[in-house]
Amino acid sequence: MDRSYRAPWWLPGGHAQTIWPALFAKRFEGAAPSFERERWTTPDGDFVDVDSLRSPVGAEAPLLVLFHGLEGSSRSHYAQAFAHWARCNGWQFALPHFRGCSGELNLAPRAYHSGDHEEIGWMLAQLRARHRGAMVAVGVSLGGNALLRWAEEAGAAAAATVGAVAAVCSPIDLAAGGRAIGRGFNRLVYTRMFLRTMVPKALRKLAQHPGLFDRERLLQARDLYEFDNIFTAPLHGFKNTDDYWSRGSAKPHLHRIRIPALVLNARNDPFVPASCLPSPAEVGSHVTLWHPAQGGHVGFPSGRFPGHVLALPQGVMAWVRSVL
């Protein structure tokens, strides 16, 4: 898979190329990737859970770090596909879960957000300290935007941690993505899907920390803009959703990146409008843009029915290897 990717004829349109791969397409060959979990204590006394691929490779084998998307985990279809790639190619693989996404509610009032570059930086620093060999990072959707924000903030210093970064289907313009997911079919399907897990988590967070936010207002939230206004933005130091989406977006700062970076977005992604994608003139010389016409949101299915999602990690990691 590369910038010329084309979806199978039997799976037309951005919605089909998003939903089918997540639910039905093959994620790996043979046995499912097997993970072992390590719990890290964060500087503020909270915890994050990191799943690493059980693999016989040596300690100096390259390490692929994957940051998941909104409400994702090591069980997500793309995570298993990237882990399978690592297993087949003799790489180590680690997926740090954002707070509250590993199956257990975290302890602190904060959770995670699309611009969480400080958390990304801390996680990468822990992995760098533990690993002897080469290390690269891939972020998917929300995780990709946060990863790019880290690379932007780190500048030339990022090279001491990772050799390259890649962002897959990331909402690098959070306002444009927020507006898109809040309308029409997207609102009916994807917004409801996300809120179905995010709202209960937020209510459990309120039980942990009474008075953290207005419970009735949260229960009335019908889209991510309202949810972020009540929960995500104020809990993470932003004035409101508009401030969060503005300051958290990676797009305005892509020219600051000083390590090889791939930004991959399908032009038919239901979550990320093609009109908001950057042009080569808007990014620095270290950034490679892939904007294939098809692929959906973290879909990029390939093969005969029912298809597979193995071409996504193959394409991304082929690029990674070419720049290391």
Side-chain angles (χ1 to χ4, degrees), residues 113 195 198 202 212-214 217-246:
H113 62 89
L195 291 180
M198 292 165 66
L212 196 60
F213 57 84
D214 187 321
R217 284 186 62 208
L218 185 85
L219 290 173
Q220 294 170 11
R222 293 294 178 266
D223 57 31
L224 297 186
Y225 184 94
E226 295 173 359
F227 181 90
D228 286 345
N229 225 17
I230 299 160
F231 182 81
T232 313
L235 260 65
H236 299 100
F238 301 100
K239 296 177 184 177
N240 50 36
T241 297
D242 293 324
D243 182 44
Y244 160 40
W245 286 358
S246 175

Side-chain angles (χ1 to χ4, degrees), residues 38-50 99 107 119 122-123 126 130:
E38 183 179 3
R39 178 159 291 185
W40 296 348
T41 300
T42 62
D44 61 347
D46 203 350
F47 69 87
V48 295
D49 289 327
V50 183
R99 303 193 195 199
L107 305 175
E119 189 90 310
W122 179 80
M123 290 172 167
Q126 304 310 301
R130 290 165 164 81

